[in-house]
Amino acid sequence: MNNFTSGVKAGIPIGLGYLSVSVGFGIFAVAGGLYWWQAVVISMLCLTSAGQLAGVRIMTSGGNYVSMLISQLTINLRYSFMSISLSQKLDKKFSMPRKAVLGFFMTDEIFAVASMKDNVTTAFFAGLSVMPFIGWTLGTLTGALLGNILNAAIMSAMGLAIYGMFVAIVVPEMKNKNVLLTAVIAMTISCIFYYVPMVNKVSIGIAISISAIVAALVMAFLKPLPELEPEEVDV
């Protein structure tokens, strides 16, 4: 119980952050034509801000299942690598069924907090997941209900909050020239898909995926990370 309580306390700051940010998603979803309860169900079943935003855009723009699948795999693949990394610190009692259930709650922030511990128990990770899940769900509910009350102009303005979250994530990292160049390449490709005739007929989900993958590949070719020297092993 002490580990669970410790996890809950560690997750409070994450939950408060999610509460404020997910209000924007709720408004964005309702503005796109979804019912308030649909927005809440999405947040409860798909705990990924970027994935949810892309998914709603695909749904409201008439996208197909293929573009949805590709975009979600591209955006959320990083959680698999986070899970693999964190698995090295899991307690021996962290069984496979528990991993399958609690892996659903893996997010960037939860991973960052959990990875700071030398030994992650089931109770701690379960507690750590509680407040972020509640915060994200309640924030979505609040935004979705506000979307049904506020007039169109205010709702449209507040819907920009979800984009502000991504700007806040990317801009500080742009101090690194490589990150800045990667973002510029991705934005350029995205603009091509949006403005260029014929190309702009590509579904938004596939366009997002191509923009991200091509930008990463270009930077991997132009600015590859230096190879690490193999560590000396004592025999």
Side-chain angles (χ1 to χ4, degrees):
M1 182 59 71
N2 290 334
N3 281 330
F4 181 81
T5 303
S6 176
V8 172
K9 291 179 179 178
I12 290 176
I14 303 175
L16 292 174
Y18 284 2
L19 179 65
S20 59
V21 171
S22 59
V23 170
F25 170 74
I27 293 175
F28 176 84
V30 172
L34 298 184
Y35 293 111
W36 67 269
W37 61 268
Q38 291 175 320
V40 174
V41 169
I42 289 174
S43 282
M44 293 179 68
L45 299 180
C46 184
L47 192 60
T48 162
S49 54
Q52 290 179 216
L53 179 64
V56 169
R57 291 187 64 188
I58 292 171
M59 286 188 286
T60 56
S61 63
N64 54 43
Y65 290 116
V66 174
S67 60
M68 177 71 79
L69 176 63
I70 293 175
S71 67
Q72 295 304 308
L73 284 176
T74 304
I75 294 171
N76 298 319
L77 183 62
R78 69 186 189 278
Y79 295 129
S80 298
F81 297 112
M82 292 179 190
S83 298
I84 293 172
S85 174
L86 191 62
S87 67
Q88 310 304 310
K89 296 188 174 185
L90 297 183
D91 185 79
K92 292 181 179 180
K93 296 181 180 179
F94 211 128
S95 62
M96 184 58 68
R98 294 175 180 177
K99 292 177 184 178
V101 173
L102 294 177
F104 166 79
F105 298 97
M106 180 67 74
T107 66
D108 302 79
E109 293 77 14
I110 289 177
F111 167 76
V113 174
S115 62
M116 290 190 293
K117 294 183 67 68
D118 294 328
N119 184 48
V120 180
T121 64
T122 303
F124 176 82
F125 194 89
L128 179 62
S129 306
V130 170
M131 296 310 295
F133 182 77
I134 292 176
W136 189 256
T137 303
L138 287 181
T140 301
L141 174 61
T142 302
L145 294 178
L146 285 175
N148 286 322
I149 298 173
L150 301 175
N151 63 49
I154 297 178
M155 188 170 67
S156 177
M158 292 188 69
L160 294 175
I162 193 73
Y163 296 105
M165 179 192 73
F166 295 114
V167 172
I169 292 173
V170 174
V171 169
E173 301 298 326
M174 286 185 175
K175 295 177 181 178
N176 184 313
K177 294 181 180 179
N178 292 340
V179 175
L180 175 60
L181 183 56
T182 304
V184 170
I185 293 173
M187 288 187 292
T188 302
I189 298 172
S190 181
C191 288
I192 292 174
F193 277 111
Y194 188 83
Y195 291 107
V196 176
M198 300 302 293
V199 181
N200 60 11
K201 296 185 182 298
V202 175
S203 67
I204 188 170
I206 294 178
I208 292 173
S209 300
I210 292 176
S211 299
I213 294 173
V214 172
L217 289 175
V218 170
M219 288 306 298
F221 177 76
L222 296 178
K223 299 287 184 178
L225 293 176
E227 293 185 7
L228 298 177
E229 294 293 333
E231 297 180 358
E232 294 185 1
V233 180
D234 295 329
V235 180

